[in-house]
Amino acid sequence: MYKWYKVFWIILKRKRALYFVLALITGAMLTIYARGAFGDLASNLLAEVIGICITIFVLDFIIAFQDEKRIFKLKSLAYSQIRSLLCKAIELIKNQYKAASGNVLESTGLGGIDTNIAKSICSGLNLDNECADIYERPVNWQSHNRMFVERFKNAIELIIDNYINYLPEELIENLEKLKGSAIFEFYRVSASIRRIHRDQGIKENYLTGCSQLYIELFDILRLIERQLVDFGLPRT
């Protein structure tokens, strides 16, 4: 929901130097007038200066308010799209955990997603099993993970391209870290890794020992989630 009072305080913070100068000039003229200095000249100057200051303040505030309202709405839209991406990543993790362990992760958001979840996925997810949880046509988990990463990265790039002028630099850096997550890169090259393993006679799950990569993914998701909450979005 659009909150005008947030925009009001943003403008006051950004324009405080200008408004302070206008208030200082007005205060100085009132002081001169109150002391009776310069007679009618002071009275005329006071009226002119107050009129100019009020005009500058009102016009500048109206223009700034409209501009900040537009920026605020664009930021809200960007953050909502980022939240949607986080939800998709969480959905992927929960579906992987269900396929790996047979259990359903009931917690909402990132709650309950921890080291044990990562270990369960890495030790129990069979990449050759059919997966039709997210995409329309049934694919195995190997293909599913790769398809997810491709679409997920494209979505991040689109958000950054569309809203780069409105997102905090730290949030953009974290989105870039999420896009370059090591476990996502692992998904991307999974077919090649498994092919090499088969040629070498290695039968273990290629995700074995990769739980730390999942934990790093969980950490960056939580970091971005905190930034969204700080902006004003409700927790997932």
Side-chain angles (χ1 to χ4, degrees), residues 45-126:
L45 283 175
L46 176 63
E48 290 289 337
V49 170
I50 290 178
I52 291 172
C53 288
I54 290 176
T55 301
I56 292 175
F57 173 79
V58 171
L59 290 179
D60 181 80
F61 192 87
I62 290 174
I63 294 172
F65 187 87
Q66 293 300 322
D67 191 48
E68 289 296 338
K69 185 169 73 170
R70 179 181 63 84
I71 292 174
F72 187 87
K73 288 183 176 181
L74 285 171
K75 283 185 176 181
S76 299
L77 181 60
Y79 289 170
S80 296
Q81 291 180 15
I82 294 170
R83 166 61 61 74
S84 177
L85 281 182
L86 295 191
C87 290
K88 289 180 180 179
I90 293 169
E91 182 184 8
L92 172 71
I93 293 166
K94 289 184 175 182
N95 286 331
Q96 288 181 340
Y97 175 72
K98 179 181 177 181
S101 66
N103 299 319
V104 177
L105 191 59
E106 298 291 354
S107 60
T108 59
L110 289 162
I113 296 180
D114 53 21
T115 303
N116 292 329
I117 301 299
K119 290 180 178 179
S120 179
I121 293 173
C122 291
S123 62
L125 184 62
N126 187 335

Side-chain angles (χ1 to χ4, degrees), residues 136-163:
E136 294 181 2
R137 61 185 183 85
V139 293
N140 60 25
W141 273 103
Q142 177 177 293
S143 299
H144 174 276
N145 291 343
R146 187 177 66 254
M147 291 168 61
F148 176 90
V149 168
E150 290 174 357
R151 299 185 184 189
F152 194 80
K153 287 185 174 183
N154 289 338
I156 291 178
E157 290 177 357
L158 186 60
I159 290 175
I160 293 176
D161 289 344
N162 289 340
Y163 304 104

Side-chain angles (χ1 to χ4, degrees), residues 14 71 74-76 78-79 82 159-160 163-176 224 226-228 230-231:
R14 291 187 177 179
I71 292 174
L74 285 171
K75 283 185 176 181
S76 299
Y79 289 170
I82 294 170
I159 290 175
I160 293 176
Y163 304 104
I164 190 169
N165 293 325
Y166 309 105
L167 295 176
E169 184 177 345
E170 184 179 357
L171 179 56
I172 293 176
E173 291 176 354
N174 288 331
L175 288 173
E176 292 288 356
I224 295 174
R226 283 198 298 270
Q227 289 180 295
L228 298 182
D230 289 343
F231 177 74

